[in-house]
Amino acid sequence: MAKSVKSRTATANRTYQVIEIGDLTGGIDLRRSQSLLAPDRARTLRNFALTNPGELVVRPGYRSFSTTNLGNSRIQGGQRIYLNSTSGTRLAWNGAVFSLTDAGVLDSTAVHSTINSTAQAFFPYDRELAAVMDGVNRPVKSTDLNTWTPMGIDASTKTSTLSSVAGGSLTASEFEVGFTYKDRGTGHESNGGVVSTITFGATGAIHVEVPNSTDAQADAIVLYARNKTAGETILRRASSGAIQGSTTDNSTYRISSSDWSANAEIPTNHNVPGAWRFAVPWKNRWWAAHPTVGNRIQFSELFLNQAWPTLFFIDIPFERGDDITTLVPQGDTLLVFGQSKVFLIIGQTSLDFEVRPSAGAQAGCLGPRAATAIENGVVHASAEGVFIFDGATDKYLGFDIEAGWRDLIQNTGSADLDDISVVYHFPQKELRISVPRLYPTGMPGEWILDLNRTREQEAPAWTSTDRTIGGYILHDGDEPTLGIRGRLLTWHSSTQGTMWSESTGTTANSSNMTAEYFGPGFAMGLHRARVIDLHVEYEPHGGALTHETLVDNISQGGQTMTIGSGVAAWGTGVWGTFTWGGAGRRKGYSIMPLGAEGRVIVQRFIYSGQEAFKLFTYSLGFVPDTTPLGFSE
């Protein structure tokens, strides 16, 4: 019996021999010729999972999750959001934000409708609030995921009206009064607006009329004052109260005491955010990519996620003119990815930051969704391939799919590369990468790295799917509903405004799953061989299994093998009153056509069905020529 599928000379003996493949779950290898592939590796593994070594099983299926299709264009972005008081899933589609319940109800009525209709949308969040960013408009935020208002509050450009009244303890002096608008729900205030001045000739109080804010979230006004005559230089909090009337009215207040020396100063650094593209919370601040200055990262005031001082930014010194593509916080380090480089912002506290280049990083990141934290590192997909960065160095994970990744980069536009998404699906222990072009089909799909199999063989174990995915939403937080932690939702990359549930059931949304295996080549060397037959060990299931043998790259035609549970098997076959035992595995057999003769034999299997079909082993029987041919072919 032959012991290897690597290139070698067949035994020069015209006797029947068998080459057996005992494990098909080693993963894809596109680097080597098929005649040099390891026995457990394959050229194609599509919609097969590598979960159980020794069992090549059709991967879990998918189904439509949302009850509504919003329309014939792609979803712009989505996120599972976990706030201090609530959690939920929100999607952006056609310039609006929609709610998706845990039961899959996608309300066709938007909860917000003023974002850009074509740009990618991102939903950064912390414990207090979530925001929607599109890189075009000012972000909007919500504390309950239903009511969305502008992030930050604009300072007033109008002045207040001051007059003196009796009944206070203010002495004869010149006073200056300013004011801010406040959202009492979040506690956030605007910057101070235009100040007004009044001079007292006797003891009294100041009657203040303030124009109301046109921003619906502002429900209070805070007054600040200083005694210019007494030499005070800072406006400090003097009074406050709820806004009165409509947005076109004025609210009236009274300042009757000057006991404000220890009160808070009027805000001067509560600038509203710009049209940030995406952001992450880190070190008690939010950090965002600037929409127009490609290498600039803007950050918020400490503990104030809606206050963005103008001068709070860092220009990352990318060496190749990169723009910031994504931000990934990891402990005391914020990883800032460009297209070809990684920089580290290191913060021991929330006040001191140091920017360092990463000498050990070999590549950057393709887009905002093309990186994810996984175990003790960050996986990032770049033009150079797929890497895992541990904070100091990159480790290359994509050797075995190098040819496919090179095909993707060379034949895909930058806009589509920017949409590539990466997620770590922890229940399946799989790293999933959605790509617009999957080798060798040229159609959209996924590259999937099975981490369990990778650990076992100490080499990356890749497989693939034919799913057309634009992005992932992973339920990875404190879930109020039993059983949904680890749920993975996806959206279509181009034509559907609906959500899908991944790794669910055994069907392709109630249709057949199609799984393909294309294995190593059995090289006979100088000898030709006549291929006699094929033996296949499998688990009985419904569906159809087609096998195709290629000899010297010439197909011997596809044959269908009966694999259904209706065929008599051990454990189901009855003779009289006796039942034969054992029904978990069965062997199929096919005879090869007379023309199946050559030097290299390659086997393909295609399963189509709606069950978790398992393929265990297969063997090819052949008879080699005793001597090499004495002439050229």
Side-chain angles (χ1 to χ4, degrees):
M1 180 181 293
K3 298 181 180 179
S4 174
V5 298
K6 294 184 179 180
S7 181
R8 61 182 177 80
T9 302
T11 302
N13 188 358
R14 288 191 61 83
T15 59
Y16 178 81
Q17 301 181 40
V18 176
I19 296 178
E20 180 177 353
I21 302 299
D23 182 12
L24 315 180
T25 59
I28 293 172
D29 188 345
L30 301 179
R31 293 177 298 157
R32 296 176 174 87
S33 167
Q34 279 181 276
S35 60
L36 294 179
L37 287 183
D40 60 350
R41 292 297 183 103
R43 179 55 53 91
T44 300
L45 281 174
R46 187 168 302 114
N47 292 329
F48 275 116
L50 311 179
T51 308
N52 302 321
E55 298 179 355
L56 190 63
V57 58
V58 177
R59 67 176 298 103
Y62 60 92
R63 63 178 177 84
S64 179
F65 180 73
S66 59
T67 58
T68 304
N69 183 358
L70 295 173
N72 295 323
S73 59
R74 65 169 287 162
I75 289 174
Q76 298 171 251
Q79 182 70 48
R80 183 66 174 178
I81 300 170
Y82 302 93
L83 302 181
N84 186 38
S85 58
T86 188
S87 62
T89 304
R90 296 296 179 267
L91 312 173
W93 178 83
N94 197 32
V97 177
F98 296 86
S99 171
L100 178 67
T101 71
D102 293 343
V105 178
L106 179 55
D107 193 345
S108 58
T109 302
V111 295
H112 179 71
S113 57
T114 55
I115 64 174
N116 185 270
S117 61
T118 58
Q120 290 191 70
F122 299 89
F123 293 80
Y125 66 92
D126 57 20
R127 287 182 61 86
E128 297 178 357
L129 59 83
V132 181
M133 298 182 177
D134 60 13
V136 179
N137 299 298
R138 174 176 163 183
V140 294
K141 59 93 176 49
S142 176
T143 58
D144 62 4
L145 304 183
N146 293 316
T147 302
W148 296 82
T149 55
M151 195 174 187
I153 302 176
D154 289 303
S156 176
T157 58
K158 300 178 181 179
T159 59
S160 58
T161 301
L162 310 180
S163 59
S164 59
V165 294
S169 61
L170 298 178
T171 60
S173 300
E174 183 180 9
F175 293 92
E176 193 172 73
V177 177
F179 63 93
T180 65
Y181 296 125
K182 182 177 181 178
D183 177 1
R184 289 180 294 187
T186 62
H188 182 69
E189 293 182 49
S190 70
N191 276 336
V194 181
V195 298
S196 301
T197 303
I198 187 173
T199 301
F200 267 75
T203 301
I206 304 175
H207 178 78
V208 186
E209 290 190 17
V210 180
N212 290 344
S213 173
T214 58
D215 190 341
Q217 67 179 313
D219 54 7
I221 291 174
V222 182
L223 301 180
Y224 294 82
R226 70 183 179 102
N227 188 332
K228 297 177 65 175
T229 302
E232 295 177 357
T233 59
I234 298 174
L235 289 163
R236 295 188 179 275
R237 181 170 178 146
S239 182
S240 65
I243 287 181
Q244 305 152 15
S246 68
T247 57
T248 59
D249 296 332
N250 293 338
S251 296
T252 60
Y253 309 94
R254 182 165 295 187
I255 300 175
S256 57
S257 172
S258 61
D259 186 19
W260 53 60
S261 61
N263 293 348
E265 300 178 16
I266 190 169
T268 58
N269 62 352
H270 289 196
N271 302 68
V272 300
W276 312 142
R277 188 181 180 200
F278 53 85
V280 295
W282 179 68
K283 288 293 181 181
N284 301 310
R285 306 174 189 266
W286 279 34
W287 300 72
H290 198 279
T292 56
V293 183
N295 67 324
R296 177 167 296 177
I297 182 171
Q298 203 90 22
F299 55 94
S300 69
E301 182 60 88
L302 182 64
F303 299 116
L304 297 174
N305 46 24
Q306 298 188 70
W308 297 77
T310 303
L311 298 180
F312 279 30
F313 67 85
I314 300 172
D315 286 340
I316 306 299
F318 286 121
E319 299 170 358
R320 303 181 187 177
D322 286 357
D323 293 338
I324 295 172
T325 56
T326 195
L327 306 170
V328 182
Q330 282 285 84
D332 288 334
T333 304
L334 179 64
L335 278 63
V336 183
F337 286 90
Q339 284 91 349
S340 58
K341 189 69 176 177
V342 183
F343 273 80
L344 313 178
I345 300 179
I346 301 174
Q348 297 295 331
T349 70
S350 300
L351 300 174
D352 301 312
F353 303 104
E354 181 179 357
V355 180
R356 295 181 184 176
S358 175
Q362 303 177 45
C365 190
L366 290 171
R369 295 189 174 96
T372 189
I374 175 173
E375 299 181 348
N376 296 321
V378 174
V379 173
H380 54 109
S382 68
E384 294 83 351
V386 182
F387 296 82
I388 183 168
F389 183 69
D390 62 5
T393 59
D394 263 333
K395 178 181 178 181
Y396 189 40
L397 300 176
F399 284 114
D400 293 336
I401 60 169
E402 175 67 28
W405 199 263
R406 191 181 306 119
D407 173 77
L408 166 72
I409 299 301
Q410 292 177 347
N411 295 284
T412 307
S414 58
D416 289 331
L417 292 176
D418 190 62
D419 288 338
I420 287 177
S421 296
V422 177
V423 70
Y424 173 50
H425 192 206
F426 59 86
Q428 302 291 330
K429 298 299 181 287
E430 291 179 337
L431 177 76
R432 304 176 62 149
I433 305 175
S434 69
V435 293
R437 180 183 174 90
L438 185 72
Y439 182 86
T441 64
M443 302 299 292
E446 291 177 293
W447 290 114
I448 297 181
L449 179 65
D450 188 291
L451 297 187
N452 282 336
R453 178 69 196 204
T454 295
R455 285 192 189 92
E456 181 164 307
Q457 66 187 23
E458 297 183 353
W462 290 93
T463 181
S464 65
T465 79
D466 56 5
R467 297 285 292 120
T468 303
I469 291 175
Y472 302 96
I473 299 178
L474 179 63
H475 292 55
D476 59 352
D478 183 15
E479 295 292 347
T481 303
L482 182 66
I484 67 171
R485 184 175 175 87
R487 173 188 283 170
L488 182 63
L489 304 180
T490 61
W491 65 84
H492 198 277
S493 64
S494 59
T495 62
Q496 297 173 1
T498 190
M499 296 298 298
W500 303 84
S501 181
E502 301 293 323
S503 298
T504 301
T506 59
T507 71
N509 195 35
S510 299
S511 298
N512 286 347
M513 290 281 290
T514 300
E516 180 181 0
Y517 163 88
F518 192 33
F522 306 156
M524 303 294 123
L526 299 179
H527 298 259
R528 293 177 65 87
R530 163 82 168 88
V531 186
I532 305 298
D533 51 18
L534 170 71
H535 304 260
V536 181
E537 188 181 11
Y538 62 92
E539 184 177 84
H541 279 283
L545 178 66
T546 302
H547 64 84
E548 178 189 15
T549 304
L550 287 82
V551 181
D552 293 346
N553 287 331
I554 299 175
S555 174
Q556 303 305 306
Q559 299 185 50
T560 299
M561 182 172 291
T562 302
I563 59 172
S565 56
V567 177
W570 292 105
T572 62
V574 178
W575 181 47
T577 60
F578 178 75
T579 302
W580 300 101
R585 301 165 85 106
R586 178 185 292 154
K587 194 195 84 166
Y589 179 75
S590 290
I591 298 177
M592 294 292 108
L594 293 176
E597 183 177 351
R599 287 192 169 82
V600 179
I601 313 166
V602 182
Q603 189 63 43
R604 172 183 276 125
F605 293 100
I606 299 176
Y607 170 80
S608 178
Q610 301 186 24
E611 298 186 21
F613 171 75
K614 292 180 181 179
L615 186 64
F616 298 114
T617 64
Y618 69 92
S619 302
L620 282 163
F622 63 97
V623 176
D625 290 340
T626 56
T627 58
L629 295 179
F631 54 87
S632 299
E633 298 178 62

